[in-house]
Amino acid sequence: KRLYDRPETKQMVKKWIDWFKKYRDILTSEIIHVGRPTGRDLDCMLHVNPFIEHKGMVVVFNPTDRDITKNMRLPLYYTGLQNKVTVMSASGEKTVLALDKDGNLELPVSVKAQGTVWFLIEK
């Protein structure tokens, strides 16, 4: 009859609900699947909206049982950004990266086995 079986469960649910509320504007925007999910490599979804503060958010999931590090090519054309972007990782670290002439970003990503990482994309 309880929603939370332990205090740790309640803290985990609160953490992710607070995260969703903070980034609701971009998370409820259009989604681009960067590649077909195969279960053998990273699965990546790109949320985009050129009309709000957070122009994009990349959420990457590793469905495998091994850690994966690779460069991901992200089509940022639909964010409305040109030349360079600021990418903020989940840890709060910000990096300015250049886009190619077609509006694509090469983003280095490391995801632990069965893990998820996300990056916020801003002007």
Side-chain angles (χ1 to χ4, degrees):
K1 296 185 177 186
R2 298 181 321 202
L3 180 59
Y4 311 108
D5 56 351
R6 298 186 320 214
E8 295 85 10
T9 306
K10 183 175 182 177
Q11 289 174 345
M12 186 266 307
V13 170
K14 181 177 179 352
K15 171 190 166 189
W16 287 111
I17 288 176
D18 290 346
W19 178 80
F20 177 81
K21 287 179 179 179
K22 182 175 182 178
Y23 298 112
R24 179 190 312 254
D25 59 344
I26 190 62
L27 289 169
T28 57
S29 295
E30 300 295 327
I31 296 176
I32 299 170
H33 279 272
V34 176
R36 179 182 291 245
T38 62
R40 294 176 286 179
D41 200 3
L42 298 178
D43 184 8
C44 178
M45 290 169 284
L46 173 62
H47 300 265
V48 296
N49 190 336
F51 306 111
I52 59 177
E53 177 188 0
H54 305 120
K55 306 296 184 192
M57 179 179 271
V58 182
V59 181
V60 184
F61 172 65
N62 180 357
T64 69
D65 58 356
R66 67 187 194 293
D67 296 351
I68 297 178
T69 298
K70 67 187 282 188
N71 284 338
M72 300 202 71
R73 185 179 175 98
L74 304 174
L76 296 187
Y77 171 82
Y78 298 102
T79 63
L81 299 172
Q82 299 174 352
N83 301 323
K84 64 181 178 175
V85 297
T86 301
V87 178
M88 184 183 80
S89 67
S91 65
E93 179 182 331
K94 290 187 176 186
T95 308
V96 176
L97 298 171
L99 301 179
D100 69 14
K101 63 181 174 70
D102 297 322
N104 296 310
L105 173 67
E106 291 288 330
L107 181 67
V109 177
S110 292
V111 189
K112 298 213 179 280
Q114 301 290 311
T116 303
V117 297
W118 59 270
F119 300 91
L120 196 60
I121 299 168
E122 300 173 327
K123 189 169 186 164

